[in-house]
Amino acid sequence: MKHASVLAPSILAANHAHLAAGARTVQDLGLKWVHLDIMDGHFVPNFSFGPQTVAALRKGSSLFFDTHLMLDEPHRYIEAFAKAGSNLISIHIEPSYDHAATLARIHALGCQNGIVLNPGTPAEAIEPFLAQVDLVLVMTVQPGFGGQPFRRDMLSKITQIDRWRQERALSFRLEVDGGIDLTTGHECRVAGADTFVAGTSFFGATDQPAVVKAVASW
Ligand code: DX5
Ligand code: ZN
């Protein structure tokens, strides 16, 4: 099956003194998803915000909170993000912990789950989990910072994961994150992606409604 395209702006690129205003901008444009980047200074060399901020955003927003945990020990924080109001929680494959149990725990807490892989991680690493997830997130930059250039060499990984999805009649969403704009996002759409995280290109756009319209037409 082919999912309709979803644009998930990352408020990492919004004004951090006014994150609620960033989320409001997304909602007022008629979008349904917002992407929340959580960084621990270990798994990635940067910090962002934590569950308390997510909970505060939840109070003023009905958006679908697509929460991307860039953490060395994500299993320790699943409950905190679920309680804070996340709708989907995605965890990286790279650190060692019980991935299957953590994905199951996300479901048990009433959230959708996702598995994420870095540019240097082969698609085969997440293959055993495909039947268990609602979303696969292919990083198209090394995570940690917004504003990096899109890694075109990730397109074949997207194609591979989409092929497995079709062969196995699975229905997880296939999301891309990093350096996504209307050009690179469309290349990912052609390769099989359906969910598009955009930070810099979205919050820096002069005509955001045009961006929303373009992605909806993919
Ligand atoms: C990267 C984050 C991304 C980031 C994308 O570490 O996971 O979600 O916000 O930002 P852009 O769209 O600027 O590459
Ligand atoms: Zn992200």
Side-chain angles (χ1 to χ4, degrees):
M1 70 174 286
K2 195 175 178 189
H3 289 291
S5 61
V6 162
L7 176 59
S10 166
I11 58 167
L12 189 68
N15 180 340
H16 282 234
H18 301 281
L19 286 177
R24 170 58 59 187
T25 299
V26 174
Q27 195 165 320
D28 287 349
L29 283 159
L31 292 169
K32 302 287 181 251
W33 284 42
V34 67
H35 185 81
L36 305 177
D37 284 307
I38 312 298
M39 305 180 180
D40 67 352
H42 286 270
F43 181 67
V44 290
N46 197 8
F47 296 93
S48 57
F49 47 82
Q52 205 175 344
T53 303
V54 175
L57 288 166
R58 180 80 287 167
K59 289 201 175 76
S61 176
S62 56
L63 288 165
F64 184 89
F65 282 4
D66 169 27
T67 311
H68 174 194
L69 301 186
M70 284 163 270
L71 309 178
D72 256 339
E73 300 186 303
H75 53 291
R76 294 180 57 193
Y77 301 99
I78 298 306
E79 193 154 356
F81 284 99
K83 279 194 179 142
S86 291
N87 299 98
L88 184 150
I89 298 175
S90 54
I91 54 172
H92 273 261
I93 190 71
E94 291 83 9
S96 11
Y97 57 95
D98 190 337
H99 301 92
T102 306
L103 290 167
R105 178 91 186 114
I106 295 170
H107 274 168
L109 288 163
C111 297
Q112 293 184 32
N113 67 20
I115 192 86
V116 194
L117 66 173
N118 279 340
T121 305
E124 286 71 20
I126 57 137
E127 199 200 340
F129 304 97
L130 293 180
Q132 203 193 334
V133 297
D134 300 298
L135 177 140
V136 172
L137 170 50
V138 174
M139 290 308 301
T140 45
V141 299
Q142 183 64 24
F145 300 90
Q148 304 180 74
F150 175 71
R151 291 268 307 257
R152 195 157 272 104
D153 54 331
M154 292 301 107
L155 289 170
S156 57
K157 193 189 282 187
I158 296 164
T159 305
Q160 172 64 71
I161 295 169
D162 181 44
R163 190 176 304 133
W164 283 330
R165 177 167 60 174
Q166 291 178 41
E167 286 167 0
R168 299 170 196 190
L170 296 170
S171 61
F172 57 82
R173 283 195 160 270
L174 183 43
E175 184 176 55
V176 286
D177 182 7
I180 299 297
D181 58 22
L182 290 180
T183 304
T184 57
H186 190 259
E187 288 177 53
C188 294
R189 178 60 161 165
V190 171
D194 45 59
T195 308
F196 307 90
V197 177
T200 307
S201 72
F202 179 84
F203 282 97
T206 44
D207 190 350
Q208 287 171 327
V211 173
V212 172
K213 213 174 148 192
V215 175
S217 76
W218 289 350

